[in-house]
Amino acid sequence: MNVLLDNIDLYARGFLGTIELFVVSAIGSLILGALLAAMRVSPVPILRAFGTVYVNILRNTPLTLVIFFFAFAYPRLEIADLSYFTRACIGLILYTAAFVCEVIRSGVNTVPVGQAEASRALGFTFTQTLSQVVLPQAVRNVVPPLANIQIALLKNTTIAAGFSVTEAGGIYQALSERGANVFVGLLWVAVGFLILVVPLTLLQRNLDRRWSTAR
Amino acid sequence: MTDTPMIRMAAVDKHFGELHVLKDINLEVERGQVVVVLGPSGSGKSTLCRTINRLEPVDSGTIEVDGRALPAEGKALAGLRADVGMVFQSFNLFAHKTVVENVMLAPLKVRRQDKAAAEKNAVRLLERVGIANQKDKYPAQLSGGQQQRVAIARALAMDPKVMLFDEPTSALDPEMVQEVLDVMTGLAKDGMTMLVVTHEMGFARRAAHRVVFMADGEIVEDSTPDDFFTNPSSDRAKDFLGKILTH
């Protein structure tokens, strides 16, 4: 307990960083993933091809490599000067969106064809059919796997520590510099993550229950 | 202007792979006319209905709605579909929206009506089909007959020029068929142009101006209900009527 209380500032700053990284990346990956899924089911061949290539590259690349790219290779491209935090978010979003895309796409396949037919018959364009009718139902059908991906994202944020972003994965380093017991310190980090996952699990359960009445 | 038929199909052909499902279809539906399409299953009557708003594209031939040829897939086609109401065998209500939201969605998103006006109109239409007291339920909480009446209200909310019915009562339990037919009969009395694919002979007798009989992808007979039911000219129609009217 002493390790936690003596270094509460470290833990607070670390987990605050984790939460910030997570919230930005979670929202970003859900939006980008939905867009990619829309591309993969669209009738436009170029968009479909782009979506397929994107997913296959990002899903098959180790996250560490993606993050390292943005940490060390990206600055050499001299495109725009971005903070470490922003670059960490971009890496996490690009990587996670590939998984979100595939889950949403599998959800699209669960929506009966008649739903899209009815909306086309009412005069909806392809984009409206997708955004108003198909995607909302697709997402409702894949809440549990989407929650899995977001929990994995929460834990993946620790990779950003190798990136000089202050977050919970970097706490042990500061602890050992202060000469505190690193073993106990790490246990508290684990407890912190367990606590962070609880609201996600509750959210998943809540959404599942609310949306099941619609069917 | 008023002389152009609401629906005109000329020399329409369509194949599903090897199957020649529509053979040289020529059909005109006048304004305010109620046309019932009858025929054994597999005769192509559903496909015919679905080609009119291009849910099924055709191989060749012309289809015009209100004097305008069907455009290719895109904004123009969406605009035309907005004017053509369609009711499906399997209802196809939006499962994630309440009843009133189902009726309001297209007026809001396609017609860009404001929310208050769309809701007022939706409630009026739900009253018309006798289901306003269920407006905040989800489709899955309603019976089949209720769902189909909501689907009719949803199509009417777009103020369509013509209504297509693709076997609207075939998926219903027998005791629910009548409530849907009553709504359709009311529509026909109000002068709506309707093309109805159905097996309901009673409705055809009562509400139709014309009966079109299809078999094997062809229009075999096109006559008044009286003529068709009492004095069919083709053997196919006699055979069909013999099978359904004797039981």
Side-chain angles (χ1 to χ4, degrees), chain A residues 43 111-129 131-138 140 210-215, chain B residues 50 53-56 73 75 78-79 81-82 84-86 88 91-97 102 105-106 109-110 112 138-141 154-155 158:
Chain A
V111 179
V113 178
Q115 296 284 312
E117 269 186 357
S119 62
R120 283 160 68 207
L122 282 166
F124 287 105
T125 60
F126 174 78
T127 320
Q128 286 176 321
T129 298
S131 65
Q132 297 294 325
V133 176
V134 177
L135 282 183
Q137 293 187 55
R140 281 163 165 76
R210 177 140 44 109
W211 284 343
S212 67
T213 55
R215 248 165 284 131
Chain B
R50 292 162 54 85
N53 62 0
R54 210 171 184 278
L55 281 183
E56 297 285 356
E73 201 73 41
K75 283 244 156 63
R81 281 174 177 155
V84 178
M86 183 151 193
F88 298 86
F91 328 133
N92 296 343
L93 291 179
F94 303 134
H96 63 304
K97 299 274 185 193
N102 261 278
L105 191 64
K109 301 294 172 185
V110 179
R112 309 258 172 227
Y138 284 92
Q141 297 168 299
R154 179 176 69 174
M158 295 298 281

Coordinates of all heavy atoms in Angstrom, one line a residue, chain A residues 43 111-129 131-138 140 210-215, chain B residues 50 53-56 73 75 78-79 81-82 84-86 88 91-97 102 105-106 109-110 112 138-141 154-155 158:
Chain A
P43 N -20.4 -0.4 -53.3 CA -20.4 -1.0 -54.7 C -19.2 -0.4 -55.5 O -19.1 -0.8 -56.7 CB -21.8 -0.6 -55.3 CG -22.2 0.6 -54.5 CD -21.5 0.6 -53.2
V111 N -27.4 -8.2 -41.0 CA -28.6 -7.4 -41.2 C -29.3 -8.0 -42.4 O -28.7 -8.1 -43.5 CB -28.2 -5.9 -41.4 CG1 -29.5 -5.1 -41.6 CG2 -27.4 -5.4 -40.2
P112 N -30.6 -8.4 -42.3 CA -31.3 -9.0 -43.4 C -31.3 -8.0 -44.6 O -31.4 -6.8 -44.5 CB -32.7 -9.1 -42.9 CG -32.6 -9.1 -41.4 CD -31.4 -8.3 -41.1
V113 N -31.2 -8.6 -45.8 CA -31.2 -7.9 -47.1 C -32.4 -7.0 -47.2 O -32.3 -5.9 -47.7 CB -31.1 -8.9 -48.3 CG1 -31.2 -8.1 -49.6 CG2 -29.9 -9.7 -48.2
G114 N -33.6 -7.5 -46.7 CA -34.8 -6.7 -46.8 C -34.7 -5.3 -46.2 O -35.4 -4.4 -46.6
Q115 N -33.9 -5.1 -45.1 CA -33.7 -3.8 -44.5 C -33.1 -2.8 -45.5 O -33.6 -1.7 -45.6 CB -32.8 -3.9 -43.3 CG -33.3 -4.8 -42.2 CD -34.4 -4.1 -41.4 OE1 -34.3 -3.0 -41.0 NE2 -35.5 -4.8 -41.2
A116 N -32.1 -3.2 -46.2 CA -31.5 -2.3 -47.2 C -32.5 -2.1 -48.4 O -32.6 -1.0 -48.9 CB -30.2 -2.9 -47.7
E117 N -33.2 -3.2 -48.8 CA -34.2 -3.1 -49.9 C -35.2 -2.1 -49.5 O -35.6 -1.2 -50.3 CB -34.8 -4.4 -50.2 CG -34.0 -5.2 -51.2 CD -34.7 -6.4 -51.6 OE1 -35.8 -6.8 -51.1 OE2 -34.2 -7.1 -52.5
A118 N -35.8 -2.1 -48.3 CA -36.8 -1.2 -47.9 C -36.3 0.2 -47.9 O -37.0 1.1 -48.4 CB -37.3 -1.6 -46.5
S119 N -35.1 0.4 -47.5 CA -34.6 1.8 -47.5 C -34.3 2.3 -48.9 O -34.6 3.5 -49.2 CB -33.4 2.0 -46.5 OG -32.3 1.2 -47.0
R120 N -33.8 1.4 -49.7 CA -33.6 1.9 -51.1 C -35.0 2.2 -51.8 O -35.1 3.2 -52.5 CB -32.9 0.8 -51.9 CG -31.4 0.7 -51.6 CD -30.9 -0.6 -52.1 NE -30.9 -0.8 -53.5 CZ -31.0 -2.0 -54.1 NH1 -31.0 -3.1 -53.3 NH2 -30.9 -2.2 -55.4
A121 N -36.0 1.4 -51.5 CA -37.3 1.6 -52.0 C -37.9 2.9 -51.6 O -38.8 3.5 -52.2 CB -38.2 0.4 -51.7
L122 N -37.5 3.4 -50.4 CA -38.0 4.7 -49.9 C -37.3 5.9 -50.5 O -37.6 7.0 -50.2 CB -37.9 4.7 -48.4 CG -39.0 3.9 -47.6 CD1 -38.6 3.7 -46.1 CD2 -40.3 4.6 -47.7
G123 N -36.2 5.6 -51.2 CA -35.5 6.7 -51.8 C -34.2 7.1 -51.1 O -33.6 8.1 -51.5
F124 N -33.7 6.3 -50.2 CA -32.4 6.5 -49.6 C -31.3 6.3 -50.6 O -31.4 5.3 -51.4 CB -32.2 5.6 -48.4 CG -33.0 6.0 -47.2 CD1 -34.1 5.2 -46.8 CD2 -32.7 7.1 -46.4 CE1 -34.9 5.5 -45.7 CE2 -33.5 7.4 -45.3 CZ -34.6 6.6 -45.0
T125 N -30.3 7.1 -50.5 CA -29.1 6.9 -51.3 C -28.3 5.7 -50.6 O -28.6 5.3 -49.5 CB -28.2 8.1 -51.4 OG1 -27.8 8.5 -50.1 CG2 -28.9 9.3 -52.1
F126 N -27.2 5.3 -51.3 CA -26.4 4.2 -50.7 C -25.9 4.6 -49.4 O -25.9 3.9 -48.4 CB -25.3 3.8 -51.7 CG -24.3 2.8 -51.0 CD1 -24.7 1.5 -50.9 CD2 -23.1 3.3 -50.5 CE1 -23.8 0.6 -50.3 CE2 -22.3 2.4 -49.8 CZ -22.6 1.0 -49.8
T127 N -25.3 5.9 -49.3 CA -24.8 6.4 -48.1 C -25.8 6.4 -47.0 O -25.5 6.1 -45.8 CB -24.2 7.8 -48.3 OG1 -23.5 7.8 -49.6 CG2 -23.2 8.1 -47.2
Q128 N -27.0 6.9 -47.3 CA -28.1 7.0 -46.3 C -28.5 5.6 -45.8 O -28.8 5.4 -44.6 CB -29.3 7.8 -46.9 CG -29.0 9.3 -47.0 CD -30.2 9.9 -47.7 OE1 -30.8 9.4 -48.6 NE2 -30.6 11.1 -47.2
T129 N -28.6 4.7 -46.8 CA -29.0 3.3 -46.4 C -28.1 2.8 -45.4 O -28.4 2.2 -44.4 CB -29.0 2.4 -47.7 OG1 -30.0 2.9 -48.6 CG2 -29.4 1.0 -47.3
S131 N -25.8 4.5 -43.4 CA -25.7 5.2 -42.2 C -27.0 5.2 -41.4 O -26.9 5.2 -40.1 CB -25.2 6.7 -42.5 OG -26.2 7.4 -43.2
Q132 N -28.1 5.2 -42.0 CA -29.4 5.2 -41.3 C -29.9 3.9 -40.9 O -30.6 3.7 -39.8 CB -30.5 6.0 -42.1 CG -30.1 7.4 -42.4 CD -30.1 8.3 -41.2 OE1 -30.8 8.1 -40.2 NE2 -29.2 9.2 -41.2
V133 N -29.7 2.9 -41.7 CA -30.4 1.6 -41.5 C -29.4 0.4 -41.3 O -29.5 -0.3 -40.3 CB -31.2 1.3 -42.8 CG1 -31.9 -0.1 -42.6 CG2 -32.3 2.4 -42.9
V134 N -28.4 0.3 -42.1 CA -27.6 -0.9 -42.0 C -26.5 -0.9 -40.9 O -26.5 -1.7 -40.0 CB -26.9 -1.2 -43.4 CG1 -26.0 -2.4 -43.2 CG2 -27.9 -1.5 -44.4
L135 N -25.7 0.2 -40.9 CA -24.7 0.3 -39.8 C -25.2 0.3 -38.4 O -24.7 -0.4 -37.5 CB -23.7 1.5 -40.1 CG -22.7 1.3 -41.2 CD1 -21.8 2.5 -41.3 CD2 -21.9 0.0 -40.9
P136 N -26.3 1.1 -38.1 CA -26.8 1.1 -36.7 C -27.2 -0.3 -36.3 O -26.9 -0.7 -35.1 CB -28.0 2.0 -36.8 CG -27.8 2.9 -38.0 CD -27.0 2.1 -39.0
Q137 N -27.8 -1.1 -37.2 CA -28.2 -2.4 -36.8 C -26.9 -3.4 -36.7 O -26.9 -4.2 -35.9 CB -29.2 -3.0 -37.8 CG -30.5 -2.3 -37.7 CD -31.6 -2.9 -38.6 OE1 -31.8 -4.1 -38.4 NE2 -32.1 -2.2 -39.5
A138 N -26.0 -3.1 -37.6 CA -24.8 -4.0 -37.6 C -24.0 -3.8 -36.3 O -23.6 -4.8 -35.7 CB -23.9 -3.6 -38.8
R140 N -25.2 -2.8 -33.4 CA -25.9 -3.4 -32.3 C -25.7 -4.9 -32.2 O -25.8 -5.5 -31.2 CB -27.4 -3.2 -32.5 CG -27.9 -1.8 -32.1 CD -29.3 -1.5 -32.7 NE -29.9 -0.4 -32.1 CZ -29.6 0.9 -32.4 NH1 -28.7 1.2 -33.2 NH2 -30.3 1.9 -31.8
R210 N -30.1 -2.9 -23.6 CA -30.9 -1.9 -24.2 C -31.3 -2.3 -25.6 O -32.4 -2.1 -26.0 CB -30.2 -0.6 -24.1 CG -31.0 0.5 -24.8 CD -30.9 1.8 -24.0 NE -29.5 2.1 -23.6 CZ -28.8 3.1 -24.1 NH1 -29.2 3.8 -25.0 NH2 -27.6 3.3 -23.6
W211 N -30.3 -2.7 -26.4 CA -30.6 -2.9 -27.8 C -31.2 -4.3 -28.1 O -31.7 -4.5 -29.2 CB -29.2 -2.8 -28.6 CG -28.9 -1.4 -28.7 CD1 -29.7 -0.3 -28.5 CD2 -27.6 -0.8 -29.0 NE1 -29.0 0.9 -28.8 CE2 -27.7 0.6 -29.0 CE3 -26.3 -1.4 -29.3 CZ2 -26.6 1.4 -29.3 CZ3 -25.3 -0.5 -29.6 CH2 -25.4 0.8 -29.6
S212 N -31.2 -5.2 -27.1 CA -31.8 -6.5 -27.5 C -33.3 -6.4 -27.6 O -34.0 -7.2 -28.2 CB -31.5 -7.5 -26.4 OG -32.1 -7.1 -25.2
T213 N -33.9 -5.3 -26.9 CA -35.4 -5.2 -27.0 C -35.8 -4.8 -28.5 O -37.0 -5.0 -28.8 CB -35.9 -4.0 -26.1 OG1 -35.2 -2.9 -26.4 CG2 -35.7 -4.4 -24.7
A214 N -34.9 -4.3 -29.3 CA -35.2 -3.9 -30.6 C -35.5 -5.0 -31.5 O -35.9 -4.8 -32.7 CB -34.2 -2.9 -31.2
R215 N -35.1 -6.2 -31.1 CA -35.3 -7.3 -32.0 C -36.4 -8.3 -31.6 O -36.9 -8.3 -30.5 CB -33.9 -8.1 -32.1 CG -33.3 -7.9 -33.5 CD -31.9 -8.4 -33.4 NE -31.0 -7.4 -32.8 CZ -30.2 -7.7 -31.8 NH1 -30.0 -8.9 -31.4 NH2 -29.4 -6.8 -31.3
Chain B
R50 N -40.9 -5.9 -58.7 CA -39.7 -5.4 -58.2 C -38.9 -4.7 -59.3 O -37.9 -3.9 -59.0 CB -38.8 -6.5 -57.5 CG -39.4 -7.0 -56.2 CD -38.8 -8.3 -55.8 NE -37.4 -8.3 -55.7 CZ -36.7 -7.9 -54.7 NH1 -37.3 -7.5 -53.6 NH2 -35.4 -7.9 -54.7
N53 N -39.4 -0.4 -59.6 CA -38.6 0.6 -58.9 C -37.1 0.2 -59.0 O -36.3 0.6 -58.2 CB -39.0 0.9 -57.5 CG -39.0 -0.3 -56.6 OD1 -38.6 -1.3 -57.0 ND2 -39.3 -0.1 -55.3
R54 N -36.8 -0.7 -59.9 CA -35.5 -1.2 -60.2 C -34.8 -1.8 -59.0 O -33.5 -1.8 -58.9 CB -34.6 0.0 -60.7 CG -33.5 -0.4 -61.7 CD -32.9 0.8 -62.3 NE -31.9 0.4 -63.3 CZ -30.6 0.0 -63.0 NH1 -30.2 0.0 -61.8 NH2 -29.8 -0.3 -64.0
L55 N -35.5 -2.4 -58.1 CA -34.9 -3.3 -57.1 C -34.3 -4.5 -57.8 O -33.3 -5.1 -57.4 CB -35.9 -3.7 -56.0 CG -36.2 -2.7 -54.9 CD1 -37.1 -3.3 -53.9 CD2 -35.0 -2.2 -54.3
E56 N -34.9 -4.9 -58.9 CA -34.4 -5.8 -59.9 C -34.1 -5.1 -61.2 O -35.1 -4.7 -61.8 CB -35.4 -7.0 -60.1 CG -35.7 -7.8 -58.9 CD -34.6 -8.8 -58.5 OE1 -33.6 -8.8 -59.2 OE2 -34.8 -9.4 -57.5
E73 N -28.7 3.4 -61.5 CA -28.4 3.5 -60.0 C -27.8 4.8 -59.7 O -26.8 5.2 -60.3 CB -27.5 2.3 -59.6 CG -27.6 2.0 -58.1 CD -28.9 1.3 -57.7 OE1 -29.4 0.4 -58.5 OE2 -29.4 1.6 -56.7
K75 N -28.4 9.0 -57.6 CA -29.3 10.0 -57.0 C -30.6 10.1 -57.7 O -31.7 10.1 -57.1 CB -28.6 11.4 -57.1 CG -27.5 11.6 -56.0 CD -27.9 12.7 -55.0 CE -27.2 12.5 -53.7 NZ -25.8 12.6 -53.8
A78 N -32.8 7.2 -56.8 CA -33.3 7.4 -55.5 C -34.5 8.4 -55.5 O -35.5 8.1 -54.8 CB -32.2 7.9 -54.5
G79 N -34.3 9.4 -56.2 CA -35.4 10.4 -56.3 C -36.7 9.8 -56.9 O -37.8 10.1 -56.4
R81 N -37.5 6.6 -56.8 CA -38.0 5.6 -55.8 C -38.8 6.3 -54.7 O -39.7 5.7 -54.1 CB -36.8 4.8 -55.2 CG -36.3 3.7 -56.1 CD -35.1 3.1 -55.5 NE -34.6 1.9 -56.3 CZ -33.3 1.5 -56.2 NH1 -32.5 2.2 -55.5 NH2 -33.0 0.5 -57.0
A82 N -38.4 7.5 -54.3 CA -39.0 8.2 -53.3 C -40.5 8.4 -53.6 O -41.4 8.5 -52.7 CB -38.3 9.5 -53.0
V84 N -42.3 6.3 -55.4 CA -43.0 5.0 -55.6 C -43.0 4.2 -54.3 O -41.9 3.8 -53.8 CB -42.2 4.1 -56.7 CG1 -42.8 2.8 -56.9 CG2 -42.2 4.9 -58.0
G85 N -44.1 4.1 -53.7 CA -44.2 3.4 -52.4 C -44.1 1.9 -52.7 O -44.6 1.4 -53.7
M86 N -43.5 1.1 -51.7 CA -43.4 -0.3 -51.9 C -43.7 -1.0 -50.5 O -43.2 -0.6 -49.5 CB -42.1 -0.7 -52.4 CG -42.0 -2.2 -52.7 SD -40.8 -2.6 -54.0 CE -41.2 -4.3 -54.3
F88 N -43.6 -4.9 -48.8 CA -43.0 -6.2 -49.0 C -43.7 -7.3 -48.3 O -44.4 -7.1 -47.3 CB -41.5 -6.1 -48.5 CG -40.6 -5.1 -49.2 CD1 -40.6 -3.8 -48.7 CD2 -39.8 -5.5 -50.2 CE1 -39.8 -2.9 -49.3 CE2 -39.0 -4.5 -50.8 CZ -39.0 -3.2 -50.4
F91 N -42.5 -7.4 -44.7 CA -42.6 -6.1 -44.0 C -41.4 -5.2 -44.1 O -41.5 -4.1 -44.5 CB -43.0 -6.3 -42.5 CG -43.9 -7.5 -42.2 CD1 -43.6 -8.3 -41.1 CD2 -45.0 -7.8 -43.0 CE1 -44.4 -9.4 -40.9 CE2 -45.8 -8.9 -42.7 CZ -45.5 -9.7 -41.7
N92 N -40.2 -5.8 -43.6 CA -39.0 -5.1 -43.7 C -39.0 -3.7 -43.0 O -38.4 -2.7 -43.4 CB -38.5 -4.8 -45.1 CG -38.2 -6.1 -45.9 OD1 -38.0 -7.1 -45.2 ND2 -38.1 -6.0 -47.2
L93 N -39.7 -3.7 -41.8 CA -39.6 -2.5 -41.0 C -38.2 -2.4 -40.4 O -37.6 -3.4 -40.1 CB -40.7 -2.5 -39.9 CG -42.1 -2.4 -40.3 CD1 -43.1 -2.5 -39.1 CD2 -42.4 -1.1 -41.1
F94 N -37.8 -1.1 -40.2 CA -36.4 -1.0 -39.6 C -36.4 -1.4 -38.2 O -37.1 -0.8 -37.3 CB -36.0 0.5 -39.8 CG -36.0 1.0 -41.2 CD1 -36.6 2.2 -41.5 CD2 -35.5 0.2 -42.2 CE1 -36.6 2.7 -42.8 CE2 -35.5 0.6 -43.5 CZ -36.1 1.9 -43.8
A95 N -35.7 -2.5 -37.9 CA -35.8 -3.2 -36.6 C -35.3 -2.3 -35.5 O -35.7 -2.5 -34.3 CB -35.0 -4.5 -36.7
H96 N -34.4 -1.3 -35.7 CA -33.8 -0.5 -34.6 C -34.6 0.8 -34.4 O -34.2 1.6 -33.6 CB -32.4 -0.2 -35.0 CG -32.2 0.6 -36.2 ND1 -32.7 0.2 -37.4 CD2 -31.6 1.8 -36.4 CE1 -32.4 1.2 -38.3 NE2 -31.7 2.1 -37.7
K97 N -35.7 0.9 -35.1 CA -36.5 2.2 -34.9 C -37.9 1.8 -34.4 O -38.4 0.8 -34.8 CB -36.6 2.9 -36.3 CG -35.3 3.3 -36.9 CD -34.9 4.7 -36.4 CE -33.6 5.1 -37.1 NZ -33.0 6.3 -36.4
N102 N -40.0 4.7 -37.8 CA -40.0 4.0 -39.1 C -40.8 4.9 -40.1 O -40.3 5.0 -41.2 CB -40.7 2.7 -38.9 CG -39.8 1.5 -38.8 OD1 -39.2 1.1 -39.8 ND2 -39.5 1.1 -37.6
L105 N -38.8 8.4 -40.8 CA -37.3 8.4 -41.2 C -37.1 8.9 -42.7 O -36.3 9.8 -42.9 CB -36.7 7.0 -41.1 CG -35.2 7.0 -41.2 CD1 -34.5 7.8 -40.1 CD2 -34.7 5.6 -41.2
A106 N -37.9 8.4 -43.6 CA -37.7 8.8 -45.0 C -38.1 10.2 -45.2 O -37.4 11.0 -45.9 CB -38.4 7.8 -45.9
K109 N -35.2 12.3 -43.8 CA -33.9 12.2 -44.5 C -33.9 12.4 -46.0 O -33.0 12.9 -46.6 CB -33.2 10.8 -44.2 CG -33.0 10.5 -42.7 CD -32.0 11.5 -42.1 CE -32.0 11.3 -40.6 NZ -31.1 12.3 -40.0
V110 N -35.0 12.0 -46.6 CA -35.1 12.1 -48.1 C -35.8 13.3 -48.5 O -35.4 14.1 -49.3 CB -35.8 10.8 -48.7 CG1 -35.9 10.9 -50.2 CG2 -35.0 9.6 -48.3
R112 N -36.4 15.9 -46.4 CA -35.9 17.0 -45.6 C -37.0 17.8 -44.9 O -37.0 19.0 -44.8 CB -35.0 17.9 -46.4 CG -34.0 17.2 -47.2 CD -32.6 17.4 -46.5 NE -31.6 16.5 -47.2 CZ -30.8 15.7 -46.6 NH1 -30.8 15.6 -45.3 NH2 -29.9 15.0 -47.3
Y138 N -41.4 -1.2 -30.7 CA -40.5 -1.6 -31.8 C -41.2 -2.6 -32.7 O -42.1 -3.4 -32.2 CB -39.2 -2.2 -31.2 CG -38.3 -1.1 -30.7 CD1 -38.3 -0.7 -29.4 CD2 -37.4 -0.5 -31.6 CE1 -37.5 0.3 -28.9 CE2 -36.6 0.5 -31.1 CZ -36.6 0.9 -29.8 OH -35.8 1.9 -29.4
P139 N -40.8 -2.7 -34.0 CA -41.5 -3.6 -34.9 C -41.7 -5.1 -34.3 O -42.7 -5.7 -34.5 CB -40.6 -3.6 -36.1 CG -40.0 -2.3 -36.1 CD -39.8 -1.9 -34.7
A140 N -40.6 -5.6 -33.7 CA -40.6 -7.0 -33.2 C -41.7 -7.2 -32.1 O -42.1 -8.3 -31.9 CB -39.3 -7.3 -32.7
Q141 N -42.2 -6.1 -31.6 CA -43.2 -6.2 -30.5 C -44.7 -6.3 -31.1 O -45.6 -6.4 -30.3 CB -43.1 -5.1 -29.5 CG -41.8 -5.1 -28.8 CD -41.6 -3.8 -28.0 OE1 -41.5 -2.7 -28.5 NE2 -41.4 -3.9 -26.7
R154 N -45.6 3.7 -43.6 CA -44.3 4.2 -43.9 C -44.2 4.6 -45.4 O -43.6 5.6 -45.8 CB -43.3 3.1 -43.6 CG -41.8 3.5 -43.9 CD -40.9 2.5 -43.5 NE -40.9 1.2 -44.3 CZ -40.1 0.2 -44.1 NH1 -39.1 0.3 -43.2 NH2 -40.3 -0.8 -44.9
A155 N -44.8 3.8 -46.3 CA -44.7 4.1 -47.7 C -45.6 5.3 -48.0 O -45.1 6.2 -48.8 CB -45.2 2.9 -48.5
M158 N -44.3 9.1 -47.7 CA -43.6 9.8 -48.8 C -44.5 10.4 -49.8 O -44.0 10.9 -50.9 CB -42.6 8.8 -49.5 CG -41.5 8.3 -48.5 SD -40.5 9.6 -48.0 CE -39.4 9.8 -49.4

